[in-house]
Amino acid sequence: MNWNFLGQEALAFVFYFLYGSFFEWAFHRYLFHSPRFVKSTFRAHQLVHHQRYKYEPTSYEWQEGQEKDHVAMNWFALVLFLAFHAPLFWTVQALTGWQSMWGGLAAVTTYYAVYEYFHYCMHIPGNRWFENRWPFTFVKEHHRIHHKYMLKNLNVFFPLADVCLGTFVSASSLQKTRATVESSLKESHIAS
Ligand SMILES: [Zn+2]
Ligand SMILES: [Zn+2]
């Protein structure tokens, strides 16, 4: 067993998983919430997914009698993500000598699988063992806020890029903002 090889690939996995948060952020922002580059992803996400599932708990989650659809991306999305990243990871490896391509591809696959599965479970609950536990409850609420404020909370399950790029909105900060707005409205009402 070559531990040097495994160690480098493991480091690459961690590095590219962190990168995944930024890639997801940009992808979500510019391909899901803007028609500028690709119209079909914009349509499927902003015009269909966001209309079907909304902020209110009754519309955020699938309801009895509805089809369980319009949640996951097309099956070939993973193939496209891998095809897009493979030459990139290969180039980094060739230029730096860092044994990192397999770790990178494994990170993309894992990131994609967790994203798709968690996103599905957020919209289509099914009494799974983790559904009432942190951190799932946290990321589910994080994504629910995104369904109202579409340009906030662009990460689904790993909000590293949201925090770094200033698009992170927490449930408690939202409550505080609401309380401030309501009290200022009350004050202006009393004043008038
Ligand atoms: Zn969603
Ligand atoms: Zn979105």
Side-chain angles (χ1 to χ4, degrees):
M1 186 77 73
N2 185 342
W3 289 106
N4 187 30
F5 171 86
L6 280 184
Q8 288 192 41
E9 293 288 7
L11 186 69
F13 181 89
V14 174
F15 176 79
Y16 283 124
F17 197 90
L18 298 176
Y19 150 86
S21 184
F22 292 87
F23 176 77
E24 179 205 356
W25 189 98
F27 192 91
H28 199 152
R29 173 67 186 82
Y30 296 107
L31 295 187
F32 279 0
H33 287 294
S34 159
R36 207 159 91 202
F37 302 104
V38 184
K39 284 197 175 57
S40 62
T41 46
F42 168 74
R43 217 176 293 124
H45 187 78
Q46 182 161 317
L47 303 186
V48 178
H49 179 67
H50 272 264
Q51 292 312 310
R52 175 70 171 266
Y53 302 93
K54 293 186 172 169
Y55 177 73
E56 290 69 29
T58 48
S59 54
Y60 182 53
E61 291 179 354
W62 166 85
Q63 300 294 315
E64 206 61 51
Q66 273 182 341
E67 296 271 348
K68 293 178 179 174
D69 56 0
H70 304 305
V71 180
M73 293 179 227
N74 286 323
W75 65 269
F76 52 81
L78 176 61
V79 180
L80 293 179
F81 288 137
L82 290 174
F84 174 79
H85 283 99
L88 222 67
F89 295 165
W90 183 87
T91 309
V92 171
Q93 179 169 299
L95 290 178
T96 61
W98 176 25
Q99 190 63 52
S100 55
M101 198 177 97
W102 295 114
L105 293 178
V108 169
T109 308
T110 309
Y111 198 103
Y112 171 84
V114 179
Y115 172 105
E116 282 290 50
Y117 184 60
F118 266 26
H119 187 222
Y120 184 85
C121 297
M122 285 169 192
H123 289 299
I124 304 182
N127 289 325
R128 300 171 190 93
W129 64 270
F130 55 81
E131 281 185 16
N132 291 318
R133 290 178 195 199
W134 195 89
F136 184 77
T137 48
F138 169 78
V139 289
K140 183 170 175 176
E141 190 59 19
H142 179 80
H143 185 59
R144 194 166 82 90
I145 293 168
H146 169 72
H147 270 262
K148 183 163 187 166
Y149 304 99
M150 287 191 283
L151 299 183
K152 299 290 179 191
N153 294 1
L154 288 152
N155 291 128
V156 164
F157 79 98
F158 184 35
L160 174 69
D162 275 326
V163 171
C164 294
L165 302 173
T167 49
F168 180 84
V169 175
S170 68
S172 57
S173 74
L174 204 63
Q175 263 167 2
K176 259 183 229 153
T177 318
R178 249 184 228 149
T180 320
V181 170
E182 271 164 29
S183 76
S184 70
L185 278 177
K186 233 181 249 167
E187 271 164 30
S188 65
H189 185 70
I190 292 165
S192 66

